[in-house]
Amino acid sequence: NGGAVKSREWMNGNTRVVGEIQGGAAEPYRAFVELARSPSAQLVAVRATCTCPVGMNCKHAAALLLAKDTERLSPGRSQDLPSVSRAPVATDTRLGSDPSSPDWRIPLKALLADDPAEEHRSADIGLQFELVLTATAKGSRPKGGVPGIRVRPVIANRSGNWTRTGISWSNLDYLGYGRPTGAGSAGRVSLVKELLALSRLPNVREYYGYDPEVWLERINSRRLWDLLREARDCQIPLLLSSRRVRPVNLSPSTAVLSIEVIRTPSGLRLEPRVEVDGTAVPLGSVIVLGQPAHGIAWWSDDVSVAELDTPELSLAPFAVPLDDTMRALLSQEPICVPEGEEGIFLDEVYPLLRERVLVRSNDASVLLPVPAQTHLVASVTYHGEHRISLVWERGRAGSSWREGLWTRRSAAGDRSGEEDALAALASLCDTLPVLFEVTPWGERRLAGEAELSAMAAVRFAELLPRIAEIPGVAVEVAEGLPDYREVIDGPVVRMAGSASGDGDWFDLDVEVSIAGEPVPFHLLFIALAEGQTHLILPSGTYFSLDRDELRDLAELIAEARAMHEAQGGTVRLSRFQASLWEEFNRLGVVTAQASAWESSVRGLTEATERTDHPTPEGLHATLRPYQRVGFNWLAFLYEHRLGGVLADDMGLGKTLQALALICHTKERGLTSAPYLVIAPTSVVGNWVVECRRFAPGLRVEAISATERRRGVSLAEIARADVVITSYALFRLEYEAYAALDWGGLFLDEAQFVKNRHSKTYQHVRMLPVPFKVAMTGTPMENNL
């Protein structure tokens, strides 16, 4: 023994022992030995692991077994908790102790042990790493014929040696059958299976199935490093396949790629370097892992390639993943910059290069300049109609260099200024959600590109001066961006217009202005209909639409247009829409209007105050009371240029009332134009008889044939006071009738034109006459 065994503890019925053994290193090695006995208590197998370079079944484990007893171990170290059988038992009844109760040390012994039993179990599964540099006898080689690292699962045999017999990637799910495994073993197997799943993430397939082998350099996920660390923590051995069992070195630090600038007699030499904990990695003996590269594997320069006896294999993740261009540096020969071109490199190339990779001169042979600080650049483009494109980039003053805002950046350089600028931008622009994005991992950040329109564009344009004031931010605005300004005062709405050709409709022009600037009506109406909060004029002036009078105006215009569609910024209103006129007046936004329409509407609203006119002298008849009411009503309609329907029953004198109106207007000089009477052919003669009987002073002409047959033009006939024609002849010669001026139109038996799809109806509707009356004794049939 010689005092080398510093501590020892037997467990599990003297079938396991753990202890510390002083070896050649400064710190003692820790060994764990597990004994297997047959039912007859015969020793049948011994399996040992140790923290020494040998790793298992070593001399330190043998010394631990052969040490005679624990009393002879070196004093001064805590060997164990006191033995339960020798531990004193508290007998102070004042504390409520019961001498017969179980010792309180028992449940704490395993918990307080330096190495719980499960932690010191011999691992039953491991991972073997095989460095494949050349084609083997079986022709096994990584894809593409380049060097690679093949990973296999291994298990410990009865002799404690690691073997690939009985285990493979394909039978991991069946590993537990026929083998006793504890909870720790199941967890280790799960980790190994997770590594297998990770290797298949990119769906690498060979022909019709997965590649049966796992190559470390083809695992593209950085999760690999978490798994390797978990495997190490769970005491899954990471073993190198070589003549001697050696562990794989998993570096706790990250690898950093840099370019070393060295001065030489002929100029500058740029050498790529990879360092881990300040120690250079031999780039001639490396394998880059993943794509993009997330880690590196390297071995000692004294590797005997012929014998594949690798003395040491190390693994480390990169601090920042490397893209293809960065990865290419690792195989790049040193670059020589001629002495005469050093200035070009230092002034133009170096500032850009350091944005991608760490550049330094460790031997201080080259004084690298401090380049201008990078800043954030906002490129703003105006596309018209209040649409803005925004692109954020990283740039440098005095340089054309640009890089996307979230382009993957190297670990080189001080980013504190950029982070401060981004934080200030996020705070200033927080009310514009369109400027932000959410990353797949749930982080809200400023978007590299954005499209803004309407009020979002206005608000952003208003923020631009404040954005430009943020340190480290530059703003580049293309031409054409309007100078937006808000007007607080309400808009002024005016309506003006004139009567349409048929006399019953008025075309009102809607004119809106804000601070003296005209507002396109269609823009206002669309904005109100869509519920927009503001209206932005082409000049950049904008105002709030949150006004009751504008919403009411939109509703009135929509109602008016539902009755008759108008074009552009006009509204067509009927003389009879008195209620709409009252609504427009109530709004108080109409400062100019059509006086004729106002007069007509006022006449309707004051219809109960009609004038009682005397019977015309040229009418040779005594009007009954109801006929006088009808005559005065027709006079009222004529005065206000309103059409109407005279619907007395048959025999009550509708023709007489019409003749009374004609005589009234002629005697008072209200019109010199003839009246046109359209009636069914069978009634035309009756009208001539009635005119000659009750109004003999009127010149009356009846049309019974077309101009071709009668030989007289309509213009000559229209010199009379009353022209009577049939619906059929009126339809045939409509153009001639429409070309003349008429004082009024009477439609007798007007139900003949009730079909609005008929030609006669359309002609009657379009005939330009200031006053129209429909006469019928049957205004309603079965329905309206």
Side-chain angles (χ1 to χ4, degrees):
N1 184 21
V5 178
K6 301 299 183 182
S7 66
R8 181 177 66 178
E9 179 184 2
W10 287 95
M11 299 175 293
N12 199 22
N14 291 337
T15 60
R16 298 176 183 172
V17 61
V18 61
E20 292 186 344
I21 306 94
Q22 184 64 55
E27 292 293 327
Y29 296 119
R30 298 179 63 83
F32 176 78
V33 182
E34 185 174 16
L35 307 177
R37 299 181 182 274
S38 68
S40 61
Q42 296 294 318
L43 186 65
V44 296
V46 177
R47 182 167 58 179
T49 58
C50 183
T51 59
C52 72
V54 176
M56 58 186 63
N57 297 339
C58 61
K59 61 183 179 180
H60 308 99
L64 185 64
L65 286 174
L66 296 176
K68 292 185 178 181
D69 54 61
T70 56
E71 273 66 34
R72 296 176 56 188
L73 299 182
S74 299
R77 299 181 65 90
S78 177
Q79 306 297 330
D80 193 10
L81 285 172
S83 172
V84 173
S85 60
R86 294 178 294 166
V89 178
T91 58
D92 190 348
T93 57
R94 290 176 302 174
L95 299 177
S97 301
D98 184 0
S100 63
S101 63
D103 195 291
W104 56 269
R105 297 171 179 81
I106 294 177
L108 301 179
K109 183 175 181 179
L111 179 63
L112 298 178
D114 291 338
D115 298 282
E118 180 57 36
E119 293 296 327
H120 286 283
R121 282 198 56 192
S122 176
D124 47 15
I125 189 170
L127 290 171
Q128 184 185 75
F129 294 74
E130 180 183 1
L131 185 60
V132 181
L133 301 178
T134 60
T136 63
K138 295 182 179 179
S140 179
R141 196 172 183 180
K143 188 175 183 179
V146 297
I149 301 174
R150 179 165 42 205
V151 184
R152 293 189 179 100
V154 291
I155 55 177
N157 60 17
R158 292 183 178 272
S159 302
N161 297 319
W162 295 99
T163 178
R164 299 196 296 264
T165 303
I167 186 172
S168 65
W169 290 118
S170 61
N171 70 356
L172 273 179
D173 290 333
Y174 308 99
L175 182 61
Y177 292 102
R179 288 174 50 85
T181 57
S185 175
R188 296 182 183 105
V189 172
S190 295
L191 271 175
V192 174
K193 290 166 66 176
E194 191 174 350
L195 177 64
L196 173 64
L198 195 65
S199 71
R200 294 178 174 175
L201 273 181
N203 198 24
V204 178
R205 303 179 68 89
E206 299 292 340
Y207 300 105
Y208 298 101
Y210 286 108
D211 188 343
E213 296 183 329
V214 174
W215 295 92
L216 198 65
E217 69 279 2
R218 294 169 64 184
I219 298 178
N220 296 328
S221 172
R222 290 177 62 85
R223 167 68 177 151
L224 168 67
W225 302 101
D226 295 331
L227 284 178
L228 292 179
R229 293 188 187 100
E230 289 182 45
R232 179 191 59 194
D233 295 341
C234 292
Q235 296 192 7
I236 297 177
L238 307 180
L239 307 171
L240 183 61
S241 176
S242 62
R243 294 182 178 180
R244 292 189 302 160
V245 177
R246 290 186 177 276
V248 173
N249 295 327
L250 181 60
S251 174
S253 303
T254 57
V256 178
L257 173 65
S258 65
I259 293 181
E260 182 72 16
V261 183
I262 304 170
R263 183 172 299 282
T264 67
S266 58
L268 303 181
R269 186 172 72 248
L270 312 181
E271 294 182 355
R273 288 192 180 181
V274 175
E275 292 184 357
V276 178
D277 274 337
T279 302
V281 172
L283 295 185
S285 305
V286 299
I287 294 177
V288 181
L289 308 181
Q291 191 171 4
H294 54 74
I296 191 169
W298 72 96
W299 55 94
S300 302
D301 287 328
D302 58 352
V303 175
S304 175
V305 175
E307 298 179 356
L308 289 180
D309 186 10
T310 307
E312 184 175 332
L313 178 66
S314 300
L315 306 174
F318 279 115
V320 176
L322 311 182
D323 58 24
D324 290 344
T325 56
M326 301 278 286
R327 181 176 183 155
L329 281 176
L330 300 179
S331 58
Q332 176 69 49
E333 293 294 329
I335 301 173
C336 295
V337 179
E339 185 176 5
E341 299 182 8
E342 290 182 16
I344 298 177
F345 169 76
L346 294 176
D347 296 339
E348 301 179 12
V349 179
Y350 166 68
L352 302 178
L353 187 62
R354 72 184 299 271
E355 293 293 332
R356 300 284 292 152
V357 64
L358 180 63
V359 183
R360 57 191 178 185
S361 179
N362 281 332
D363 62 358
S365 61
V366 179
L367 181 61
L368 297 175
V370 178
Q373 184 69 33
T374 59
H375 55 255
L376 304 181
V377 182
S379 299
V380 181
T381 304
Y382 183 67
H383 300 287
E385 298 182 352
H386 315 298
R387 294 180 296 110
I388 292 176
S389 294
L390 170 65
V391 178
W392 283 105
E393 295 176 300
R394 297 173 62 243
R396 184 181 295 106
S399 171
S400 60
W401 172 77
R402 290 287 190 272
E403 183 179 62
L405 179 61
W406 299 113
T407 299
R408 187 182 298 276
R409 295 175 287 178
S410 70
D414 180 13
R415 299 284 185 259
S416 59
E418 290 183 11
E419 298 303 328
D420 292 342
L422 286 171
L425 284 169
S427 176
L428 180 61
C429 303
D430 188 61
T431 57
L432 290 174
V434 69
L435 297 180
F436 294 85
E437 65 182 5
V438 178
T439 64
W441 49 92
E443 176 189 2
R444 183 176 183 263
R445 68 183 187 185
L446 198 68
E449 298 182 4
E451 297 289 334
L452 303 97
S453 59
M455 284 306 298
V458 173
R459 298 304 185 203
F460 174 72
E462 292 176 334
L463 287 177
L464 279 177
R466 298 174 60 187
I467 291 175
E469 294 174 356
I470 297 176
V473 177
V475 176
E476 298 177 353
V477 182
E479 295 182 359
L481 184 64
D483 182 15
Y484 291 105
R485 66 184 186 95
E486 183 176 12
V487 176
I488 306 299
D489 297 336
V492 177
V493 181
R494 294 180 175 86
M495 289 191 176
S498 58
S500 61
D502 58 14
D504 282 345
W505 296 89
F506 282 86
D507 294 326
L508 300 182
D509 294 324
V510 182
E511 300 174 357
V512 183
S513 62
I514 182 80
E517 182 177 349
V519 177
F521 174 77
H522 70 282
L523 294 181
L524 175 63
F525 189 70
I526 291 174
L528 290 169
E530 293 180 349
Q532 297 179 20
T533 61
H534 293 76
L535 178 62
I536 313 168
L537 302 182
S539 64
T541 300
Y542 67 96
F543 59 93
S544 173
L545 297 177
D546 187 19
R547 299 176 182 273
D548 292 338
E549 64 269 25
L550 289 181
R551 284 190 290 267
D552 292 343
L553 176 63
E555 293 178 3
L556 290 177
I557 292 173
E559 180 181 349
R561 288 192 164 185
M563 298 181 182
H564 194 287
E565 185 65 29
Q567 300 295 324
T570 62
V571 178
R572 171 161 282 200
L573 293 173
S574 167
R575 296 174 181 270
F576 303 103
Q577 292 175 268
S579 60
L580 281 183
W581 172 252
E582 292 175 354
E583 289 294 326
F584 279 121
N585 270 330
R586 181 184 61 81
L587 288 178
V589 297
V590 183
T591 59
Q593 62 279 341
S595 57
W597 184 48
E598 180 184 16
S599 175
S600 296
V601 173
R602 185 175 293 111
L604 282 177
T605 57
E606 301 171 357
T608 56
E609 302 177 3
R610 291 194 298 269
T611 302
D612 188 6
H613 297 286
T615 302
E617 296 180 358
L619 186 70
H620 295 183
T622 301
L623 297 177
R624 293 170 179 164
Y626 72 87
Q627 292 173 335
R628 290 189 59 83
V629 171
F631 158 61
N632 284 312
W633 180 69
L634 289 176
F636 165 80
L637 295 181
Y638 183 90
E639 177 183 354
H640 295 290
R641 292 296 188 265
L642 299 172
V645 178
L646 183 60
D648 284 344
D649 288 337
M650 289 181 61
L652 296 184
K654 293 188 293 295
T655 304
L656 181 60
Q657 296 174 53
L659 290 174
L661 176 67
I662 295 174
C663 291
H664 170 77
T665 58
K666 291 291 185 180
E667 291 176 4
R668 296 198 173 199
L670 298 179
T671 180
S672 59
Y675 280 83
L676 176 63
V677 177
I678 307 176
T681 303
S682 61
V683 183
V684 171
N686 183 65
W687 265 88
V688 174
V689 172
E690 294 283 315
C691 286
R692 291 174 179 173
R693 177 183 175 186
F694 296 113
L698 295 176
R699 292 172 297 163
V700 179
E701 292 287 347
I703 299 177
S704 58
T706 61
E707 180 177 351
R708 181 179 179 183
R709 290 189 177 184
R710 67 177 179 262
V712 180
S713 68
L714 182 61
E716 294 180 7
I717 298 175
R719 293 174 182 173
D721 295 316
V722 180
V723 177
I724 307 170
T725 188
S726 67
Y727 284 105
L729 293 175
F730 171 75
R731 176 175 57 82
L732 294 174
E733 296 185 303
Y734 168 75
E735 289 76 10
Y737 286 96
L740 300 177
D741 292 330
W742 302 98
L745 170 66
F746 286 95
L747 301 171
D748 197 10
E749 301 295 338
Q751 66 270 18
F752 275 76
V753 291
K754 67 182 180 180
N755 183 1
R756 63 188 179 91
H757 299 292
S758 67
K759 281 285 187 180
T760 305
Y761 168 90
Q762 295 173 15
H763 290 331
V764 167
R765 180 67 181 272
M766 292 186 296
L767 186 68
V769 180
F771 172 72
K772 297 179 183 179
V773 175
M775 303 167 59
T776 177
T778 56
M780 293 181 290
E781 294 181 357
N782 294 331
N783 55 63
L784 292 178

